[in-house]
């Protein structure tokens, strides 16, 4: 998967739009929404507006003994919306995302 375009204004009320392409798919995938919280070094929250049943994602960063714990929460508007997201496969990319983050941190020597 690779970026086709990316725009982000990570402040309260700011918006984002990320468009990805994948060799196995002819259609690019767009993810977009609005930032509802932005507390530097501690918390970021945004809406996922690519569907009517999109989740609100909240990420917190907690320092503990020189390491950072990253916690990601997705809050769906209903159980049906969550079930639909799981059935579509849209929730399965988080593991790959954290593997890539681990590789980046090692490469950066962090």
């Amino acid at each position: 998967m690779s970026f086709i375009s990316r725009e982000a204004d990570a402040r309260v009320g700011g918006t984002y739009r990320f468009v990805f392409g994948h060799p196995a798919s002819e259609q690019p995938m767009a993810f977009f929404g609005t930032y509802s919280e932005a507390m530097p070094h501690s918390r970021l929250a945004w809406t996922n507006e690519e569907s009517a049943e999109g989740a609100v994602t909240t990420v917190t960063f907690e320092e503990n003994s020189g390491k950072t714990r990253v916690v990601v929460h997705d809050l769906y508007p209903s159980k049906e919306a969550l079930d639909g997201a799981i059935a579509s496969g849209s929730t399965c990319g988080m593991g790959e995302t954290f593997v890539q983050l681990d590789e980046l941190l090692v490469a950066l020597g962090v």
Side-chain angles (χ1 to χ4, degrees):
M1 189 173 303
S2 61
F3 273 116
I4 294 173
S5 67
R6 57 184 167 234
E7 302 167 17
D9 180 6
R11 58 186 167 155
V12 174
T15 60
Y16 72 92
R17 180 176 180 81
F18 303 121
V19 181
F20 296 91
H22 192 281
S25 174
E26 293 180 21
Q27 288 287 78
M29 297 175 287
F31 301 90
F32 53 92
T34 304
Y35 292 98
S36 55
E37 295 181 55
M39 297 167 44
H41 310 291
S42 62
R43 187 177 177 93
L44 193 60
W46 61 87
T47 60
N48 295 277
E49 298 172 16
E50 53 275 358
S51 76
E53 296 290 314
V56 173
T57 300
T58 303
V59 180
T60 57
F61 305 90
E62 304 165 2
E63 169 127 15
N64 186 358
S65 302
K67 296 183 180 185
T68 303
R69 177 183 170 140
V70 179
V71 178
V72 180
H73 288 235
D74 284 329
L75 178 62
Y76 287 84
S78 67
K79 178 161 181 358
E80 293 77 21
L82 171 60
D83 291 344
I86 292 169
S88 75
S90 68
T91 61
C92 65
M94 194 57 70
E96 181 180 342
T97 299
F98 280 112
V99 167
Q100 291 174 354
L101 177 59
D102 286 343
E103 292 169 355
L104 176 63
L105 293 174
V106 168
L108 294 173
V110 177

